[in-house]
Amino acid sequence: MSFFVTKYTGLHRALRLGTYVSIKQTQPVCGNERRYTSTSDETRRIPKIYTKTGDKGFSSTFTGERRPKEDHIFDALGTTDELSSAIGLAREFCIDGGHSFTDQLEKIQCVLQDVGSNIATPRSSARDSHIKKTKFSSQAVIELEKWIDSFTEALPPLTNFILPSGGKSSAALHVARAVCRRAERCVAPVVRSGETDPEVAKYLNRLSDYLFTVARYAAMKEGNGETIYKKPE
């Protein structure tokens, strides 16, 4: 199960697809070190990772609504979590490669937590307070576009179809890009139904473009060639 964090007035809630644990943050959300202290004596006890609330095939949204686990909401949530994991793996390769954009990848993972919070708050059952806490900002889309433009200026023009390649960093980023495309497809029906902010789908669309661009950039900086598509004889 995935964890999504919803921010509110200095506190955070860890959302485990319906399980909430109040925690007080004492370090930045995206810092290399994270320490949390509980908000009461009762919550100082370490919570169990398992809740048994999903044993019958249902999970809860942030609004408290119970839905089948195969619901579009949970499909989108799970794929977004998978995307963050793929980016995390790619980031580790990029750190080993000495790349300068690893902080961007970490920030993207944090934004994906906000994406998850928004998806986990279906509008049909949300109160104004829910919507306010999980509102997704279009600023994240604008930032991605600026990063894409910056990397594109440094890259040679793309004149052929390329295959996922270019070294471990680049190839891992291509895997993340493919997962991102799937996450976008999973989110699309949720957005069309009016349950999720359209900016979330827009962000995932731009993110796949970013991952493609930065994969090419990683290959270039490492001095690795990209494999060009050639039609088999």
Side-chain angles (χ1 to χ4, degrees):
M1 284 301 201
S2 58
F3 286 79
F4 293 95
V5 177
T6 302
K7 295 177 284 187
Y8 67 106
T9 60
L11 297 177
H12 289 70
R13 264 178 204 269
L15 168 56
R16 185 183 180 271
L17 296 190
T19 301
Y20 307 93
V21 180
S22 294
I23 50 181
K24 180 179 180 181
Q25 183 190 337
T26 59
Q27 293 291 335
V29 174
C30 293
N32 291 328
E33 296 183 3
R34 299 174 179 83
R35 297 187 182 90
Y36 297 97
T37 57
S38 56
T39 57
S40 69
D41 290 338
E42 182 181 353
T43 56
R44 285 202 182 104
R45 293 193 300 270
I46 298 174
K48 293 182 178 180
I49 192 66
Y50 55 88
T51 64
K52 302 182 181 180
T53 59
D55 288 354
K56 295 183 179 180
F58 288 80
S59 285
S60 296
T61 66
F62 179 52
T63 63
E65 180 185 4
R66 297 288 288 176
R67 295 191 179 203
K69 291 193 175 187
E70 67 271 20
D71 188 271
H72 285 316
I73 293 289
F74 299 127
D75 191 21
L77 276 174
T79 311
T80 302
D81 184 33
E82 186 180 348
L83 170 58
S84 181
S85 299
I87 292 174
L89 178 61
R91 181 174 179 271
E92 293 300 319
F93 284 123
C94 292
I95 289 173
D96 291 344
H99 290 291
S100 60
F101 54 81
T102 55
D103 285 348
Q104 292 180 4
L105 296 177
E106 183 177 5
K107 185 171 185 179
I108 287 167
Q109 287 182 285
C110 291
V111 173
L112 287 174
Q113 293 290 106
D114 295 334
V115 166
S117 295
N118 190 275
I119 295 170
T121 311
R123 297 302 184 263
S124 61
S125 58
R127 298 191 299 271
D128 288 343
S129 60
H130 290 133
I131 295 173
K132 183 178 180 181
K133 289 174 184 176
T134 61
K135 182 176 177 58
F136 188 78
S137 172
S138 61
Q139 185 60 38
V141 178
I142 296 172
E143 185 171 49
L144 276 182
E145 291 174 345
K146 289 180 179 178
W147 290 346
I148 293 169
D149 292 343
S150 177
F151 287 122
T152 299
E153 289 178 1
L155 287 168
L158 188 63
T159 57
N160 299 97
F161 288 111
I162 60 171
L163 305 179
S165 55
K168 292 180 180 178
S169 298
S170 178
L173 287 164
H174 277 296
V175 171
R177 170 189 58 79
V179 177
C180 187
R181 288 293 192 193
R182 178 152 51 84
E184 183 184 5
R185 293 193 298 272
C186 291
V187 166
V190 184
V191 171
R192 280 197 301 271
S193 67
E195 295 281 50
T196 296
D197 193 329
E199 290 296 322
V200 165
K202 188 182 295 185
Y203 181 80
L204 292 173
N205 181 272
R206 296 299 187 283
L207 179 54
S208 62
D209 292 334
Y210 167 87
L211 292 169
F212 176 80
T213 304
V214 81
R216 296 194 63 220
Y217 183 81
M220 182 187 74
K221 296 300 286 186
E222 292 181 10
N224 297 323
E226 295 175 297
T227 303
I228 304 298
Y229 162 77
K230 296 178 181 178
K231 188 175 179 61
E233 298 294 338

